[in-house]
Amino acid sequence: MLPLRLHLPAHRGLRLLSLLTSFGSRQTVAVSVESKVRSVAMASYTTAATEGSRRLLFRQLFEKESSTYTYLLADIGHPEKPAVLIDPVDKTADRDLSLIRDLGVKLIYAMNTHVHADHVTGTGIIKIKVPGVQSVISKASNAKADHLVEQGDKINFGDLYLEVRATPGHTLGCVTYVTGDGLNQPNPRIAFTGDAVLIRGCGRTDFQIFTLPKETLIYPAHDYKGFTVSTVGEEMLYNPRLTKDEETFKSIMENLKLSYPKMIDVAVPANMACGLQDVAVKAEAASS
């Protein structure tokens, strides 16, 4: 049964005590999770050789100016090799499209985990350069896209799919895309958390990530320390923000003293319109 959708103010912290209680005492959780964390680390984050894992093509890409991760997934076991691209950036859209051509996959969806404030999404440029690609974002974001998704929706690409989980907090429209559950889906599951959960950090968030199995791999939208992947179990043990009680969490998040995002005045309006900044973008794409 999927968790209920949350509609909580962005400034509220996670109710960690009640969340951890659902897994038993903190001591019991720590012991059981730590053993799994070690086993996953020893496996170097390689997926099990399930049918779903064999047919999933997966690439993690990086845009250095905003420290943004973009993710390419494709079902290479399907005749058409359909693919999805999560959180593309406008400045690296050509790189992503070049890779997609090289790999011989067919991009069908360009997706965003939320309306980003630190970069302009590459979705609009990609839609212009590759006719037929459809954009995806959450309905709660109030942004424009071909598909507006909600909690529990499934995004199919070939015989694989991504499950939509509402994870508001950093923004009200944040969602996490989780690979499917089943024998024909990748194992362990993979959660693309956007800014809701970062490795050893998080955005301003109330979220439902920790209800996933401890071995679930976490791939965030950003990292500023050189990390690339974590697990639900690791973050439950070692995340310096999410291991605190609610009041401490709120205090941490309210006193981060973050600077004003330098791209916010450009990025947010553009991203609300699927990344289409102006007519000049279309003209440039048409001439290339």
Side-chain angles (χ1 to χ4, degrees):
M1 182 175 179
L2 291 171
L4 296 176
R5 296 184 71 205
L6 299 178
H7 292 286
L8 301 176
H11 69 277
R12 289 197 177 175
L14 170 68
R15 293 187 177 276
L16 283 176
L17 290 179
S18 61
L19 180 61
L20 290 173
T21 300
S22 68
F23 294 104
S25 68
R26 289 185 177 184
Q27 291 82 1
T28 302
V29 171
V31 171
S32 62
V33 171
E34 189 163 12
S35 62
K36 283 197 173 185
V37 167
R38 286 174 179 155
S39 65
V40 171
M42 290 291 288
S44 301
Y45 301 110
T46 56
T47 56
T50 63
E51 174 63 24
S53 298
R54 283 192 292 266
R55 65 189 304 143
L56 175 67
L57 180 147
F58 172 64
R59 293 289 186 274
Q60 182 183 43
L61 306 165
F62 187 67
E63 193 280 309
K64 62 182 181 180
E65 186 170 327
S66 61
S67 297
T68 297
Y69 284 125
T70 297
Y71 299 100
L72 174 67
L73 293 80
D75 181 356
I76 56 174
H78 190 276
E80 295 185 356
K81 298 183 179 179
V84 302
L85 196 64
I86 300 174
D87 286 335
V89 180
D90 61 342
K91 294 181 179 179
T92 47
D94 287 334
R95 174 205 63 186
D96 299 345
L97 293 177
S98 176
L99 175 63
I100 288 167
R101 288 192 295 269
D102 290 345
L103 295 174
V105 299
K106 180 182 179 181
L107 185 63
I108 58 174
Y109 294 123
M111 309 162 56
N112 283 287
T113 53
H114 63 292
V115 174
H116 300 274
D118 54 0
H119 67 268
V120 174
T121 178
T123 302
I125 294 174
I126 290 170
K127 279 172 59 64
I128 294 170
K129 294 195 172 188
V130 186
V133 173
Q134 296 186 315
S135 56
V136 179
I137 201 168
S138 73
K139 184 177 181 180
S141 70
N142 292 318
K144 295 180 180 179
D146 297 309
H147 296 281
L148 300 175
V149 295
E150 298 181 277
Q151 168 77 20
D153 287 348
K154 291 182 179 180
I155 300 164
N156 296 286
F157 56 109
D159 294 319
L160 303 179
Y161 71 89
L162 293 170
E163 171 195 322
V164 178
R165 292 201 176 200
T167 51
H170 175 67
T171 70
L172 289 177
C174 282
V175 294
T176 291
Y177 299 115
V178 186
T179 54
D181 189 15
L183 295 177
N184 295 324
Q185 302 299 316
N187 180 41
R189 301 179 76 181
I190 306 172
F192 300 96
T193 57
D195 291 7
V197 177
L198 307 178
I199 298 172
R200 305 299 190 266
C202 66
R204 296 168 174 85
T205 178
D206 303 284
F207 68 100
Q208 302 165 353
I209 303 301
F210 285 177
T211 61
L212 289 166
K214 311 300 185 300
E215 64 270 20
T216 301
L217 302 177
I218 288 180
Y219 282 94
H222 301 278
D223 188 83
Y224 309 98
K225 299 179 181 179
F227 293 115
T228 58
V229 62
S230 184
T231 67
V232 167
E234 276 195 34
E235 295 309 307
M236 289 180 68
L237 280 176
Y238 305 125
N239 192 299
R241 299 177 188 176
L242 303 180
T243 51
K244 303 297 189 292
D245 61 71
E246 181 179 2
E247 291 304 313
T248 303
F249 175 85
K250 289 169 64 176
S251 177
I252 291 172
M253 300 308 289
E254 290 169 357
N255 291 281
L256 289 176
K257 298 180 180 179
L258 299 175
S259 59
Y260 189 75
K262 63 180 181 180
M263 283 290 295
I264 191 170
D265 294 326
V266 174
V268 171
N271 293 337
M272 290 294 288
C274 197
L276 295 173
Q277 301 168 66
D278 49 45
V279 177
V281 174
K282 294 184 179 181
E284 178 185 352
S287 63
S288 62

